[in-house]
Amino acid sequence: MSGPSDSAPVSGTASAVPSAPDEGGYVAYGTPKGWWVITTMVLGSGMVFLDGTVVNVALPTIGRTFHTGLAGLQWTITAYLLTLGSLLLLGGSLGDLHGRKRVFVIGIAVFTSASVLCGVAPTAGFLIAARAVQGVGGALLVPESLAIIAAVFRPSDRGSAIGAWSGLAAVATAGGPFLGGWLVDAGSWRLVFLINVPIAVVTVVLAIRHVPESRDPNAGRRLDVLGAGAVTLGLAGVVYALIEGPVRGMGSPAVAAAGTIGLLLLIAFPFIESRVREPMVPLEIFRSMQFTGANLTTLFVYGALGGAMFFLVIMLQTEMGYSALQAGASLWPLTVLLFVLSARVGRLAQRIGPRIPMTIGPLIAGIGFLLLSRLNADSSYWRDVVPGVAVFGLGMAFTVAPLSTAVLAAVEDRHKGLGSGVNNAVSRIAGLLAVALLPVAAGFATDGTTRGPAFQAGYQRAMVIAAGLCWLGAIVSFATIRTAITVRAVPHPSPQQGCADAALAETTGRVRESAASA
């Protein structure tokens, strides 16, 4: 197949109007050609989702290899989340402008090259730099995978195709901790990164042979490079100050300069977006109190989740003596509860509105973090770990699907792709800020120790703070989320556009939630 014959404006991470291949027909779901496209997109995006969870269980081993403390482990996670979260929307725009398959393949090449560099990293600094490049590749790759599916499948099959992509990608995400633990115990933490190479080779071959090209001829010619640069450099400066401040001292010239410049750039970001011709994030979508509130809830809840998971896997391995495989497998109650309950809670939210589930869910998740705050070197898995993981897993199951519903219901049809993309980016940035900020807020020792009484005390404070963040999310949800679901629609060029946009944005939200939660 060749290039597209028709497409329409794109918002955020996904195409607003899917475009058919030039030969005059869409791909049909359930056909060999359709399954080749879905398989290719799952393999590509699955690498990124997998890397978001698989690396956590390898952190203690990485720390021992490079003799690095807490700050080095923080950078291993935050360098990846920094570039991935801040460049997701820009990556989607690049695909619409230059060709989605082309940018998808380029993203795989960047991501895989960086994975190899991570796998052979001789120093912690080298690994951190390679992780940042990995995030760039992911930001190019992930938006295109879903946009390609929306672009090439028949309108009547699009929901089924997106659902298949969502389910298979969620399986890859949920298996991350277990796979990471097995690779670390059976071989080396370096295999966590090198396993991407054979997957990438297969994905590129399949993309070249089976995936048609598509683009948006109506996409803006101007990329919001200024806005993307401001948010990326701003976050980098603030994160640097938060991670290095406890080690170098907050009065250090480098720390003070980075923090100040980063904060100023983040403050300048909305002013930049209000003045550029084609902004990455049109500020008009934040006029909805529900949309703003849902994203604040995302910031608090996923921040709590990202920070808590960072410390939990370290606690399980360094203090409780778990192997990497045992630490990854210990999170099974979370995966099971999300799998069993998410669809049911989503239907409940459709009937009664998202406000009540989004209020109750974070409250329950906070209780789970409080239960986990009691862990110490003598804790029992079944008595102490399982109840805590199960309770916060129950809370997340009540939160994730209604959160997608609230985001979609808060924006006009023409902004559903953008709204989901913004919420996706917020969830990544929440994890980034939590891993950088939580150790400072929890008062971890400046020597960056990851074991002993000092670490245990800091871990317990971090879990209590995570619980408080969840409860803040519950308060925001109760105050800003509407009980009834009403969507402010606007006319579209075709009837299929609104349906495709809604299905696309809803599935993006579900996969983002699975990736953040696993």
Side-chain angles (χ1 to χ4, degrees):
M1 293 185 179
S2 55
S5 61
D6 181 48
S7 61
V10 170
S11 295
T13 62
S15 171
V17 181
S19 54
D22 275 343
E23 67 184 49
Y26 288 101
V27 173
Y29 180 74
T31 62
K33 186 179 296 183
W35 280 114
W36 279 123
V37 173
I38 292 173
T39 300
T40 305
M41 296 304 105
V42 169
L43 286 174
S45 58
M47 288 193 302
V48 180
F49 296 145
L50 192 66
D51 248 52
T53 56
V54 73
V55 176
N56 272 7
V57 296
L59 288 176
T61 307
I62 292 172
R64 289 192 293 271
T65 298
F66 295 127
H67 306 288
T68 184
L70 186 63
L73 301 184
Q74 287 175 274
W75 276 118
T76 303
I77 299 297
T78 57
Y80 178 73
L81 293 175
L82 172 64
T83 50
L84 177 61
S86 58
L87 298 177
L88 269 173
L89 296 176
L90 188 64
S93 298
L94 282 169
D96 300 332
L97 180 60
H98 297 293
R100 297 171 186 126
K101 183 173 82 168
R102 176 185 298 177
V103 175
F104 178 80
V105 171
I106 291 173
I108 291 176
V110 173
F111 187 87
T112 308
S113 299
S115 296
V116 173
L117 295 177
C118 290
V120 300
T123 66
F126 191 99
L127 174 63
I128 291 165
R131 286 283 283 166
V133 179
Q134 258 196 322
V136 174
L140 295 175
L141 162 59
V142 170
E144 311 317 327
S145 64
L146 193 51
I148 286 171
I149 289 179
V152 303
F153 277 92
R154 298 184 308 190
S156 59
D157 289 340
R158 201 164 293 132
S160 298
I162 291 172
W165 177 88
S166 170
L168 292 171
V171 169
T173 300
F178 182 84
L179 176 62
W182 179 76
L183 289 172
V184 171
D185 284 351
S188 166
W189 63 264
R190 298 181 186 275
L191 295 178
V192 168
F193 300 104
L194 296 177
I195 195 175
N196 291 327
V197 176
I199 300 174
V201 171
V202 172
T203 305
V204 169
V205 171
L206 292 179
I208 293 172
R209 294 189 59 182
H210 298 288
V211 178
E213 183 59 282
S214 63
R215 57 173 55 83
D216 178 12
N218 298 317
R221 300 286 104 182
R222 298 172 181 266
L223 295 174
D224 185 12
V225 177
L226 188 60
V231 71
T232 303
L233 295 176
L235 286 169
V238 171
V239 167
Y240 179 87
L242 290 172
I243 293 178
E244 297 297 327
V247 179
R248 300 172 182 265
M250 286 298 183
S252 164
V255 170
T260 301
I261 294 172
L263 189 59
L264 290 175
L265 285 172
L266 291 179
I267 293 172
F269 176 70
F271 294 98
I272 294 172
E273 296 300 273
S274 67
R275 285 165 173 75
V276 298
R277 182 177 301 177
E278 295 168 5
M280 184 173 67
V281 183
L283 299 181
E284 63 185 80
I285 64 172
F286 290 100
R287 293 173 184 167
S288 165
M289 179 179 292
Q290 174 159 311
F291 183 78
T292 302
N295 279 286
L296 281 175
T297 298
T298 299
L299 186 68
F300 290 136
V301 173
Y302 284 98
L305 182 64
M309 290 298 96
F310 174 79
F311 290 110
L312 178 59
V313 295
I314 297 176
M315 167 62 78
L316 290 173
Q317 293 182 64
T318 62
E319 291 298 309
M320 297 177 64
Y322 285 31
S323 68
L325 177 59
Q326 289 171 330
S330 68
L331 302 180
W332 66 266
L334 170 63
T335 303
V336 170
L337 286 166
L338 284 171
F339 179 79
V340 172
L341 296 179
S342 287
R344 292 175 172 82
V345 175
R347 289 193 291 270
L348 175 66
Q350 291 290 339
R351 292 199 304 270
I352 68 175
R355 184 186 191 191
I356 293 176
M358 282 182 63
T359 301
I360 294 175
L363 289 175
I364 296 174
I367 294 173
F369 289 133
L370 279 187
L371 293 175
L372 289 172
S373 72
R374 304 177 305 167
L375 296 184
N376 56 56
D378 299 321
S379 295
S380 161
Y381 174 68
W382 289 104
R383 185 187 67 236
D384 302 310
V385 178
V386 169
V389 174
V391 171
F392 93 73
L394 180 64
M396 292 304 298
F398 269 90
T399 304
V400 292
L403 182 55
S404 283
T405 301
V407 169
L408 292 177
V411 295
E412 299 173 350
D413 284 350
R414 64 191 176 98
H415 281 327
K416 288 194 184 297
L418 172 65
S420 181
V422 168
N423 194 241
N424 191 347
V426 168
S427 70
R428 309 282 182 172
I429 292 171
L432 162 71
L433 293 176
V435 174
L437 181 59
L438 206 54
V440 179
F444 275 89
T446 57
D447 62 2
T449 181
T450 57
R451 62 174 64 247
F455 176 78
Q456 288 191 33
Y459 164 83
Q460 291 169 357
R461 288 191 293 267
M463 287 295 176
V464 172
I465 293 171
L469 288 173
C470 285
W471 294 336
L472 279 176
I475 294 171
V476 170
S477 294
F478 184 78
T480 62
I481 305 302
R482 295 189 297 269
T483 300
I485 300 176
T486 57
V487 179
R488 297 175 295 137
V490 296
H492 285 285
S494 68
Q496 290 84 5
Q497 177 176 348
C499 296
D501 233 2
L504 185 62
E506 182 176 1
T507 306
T508 304
R510 284 202 299 268
V511 174
R512 178 259 307 153
E513 289 148 3
S514 297
S517 302

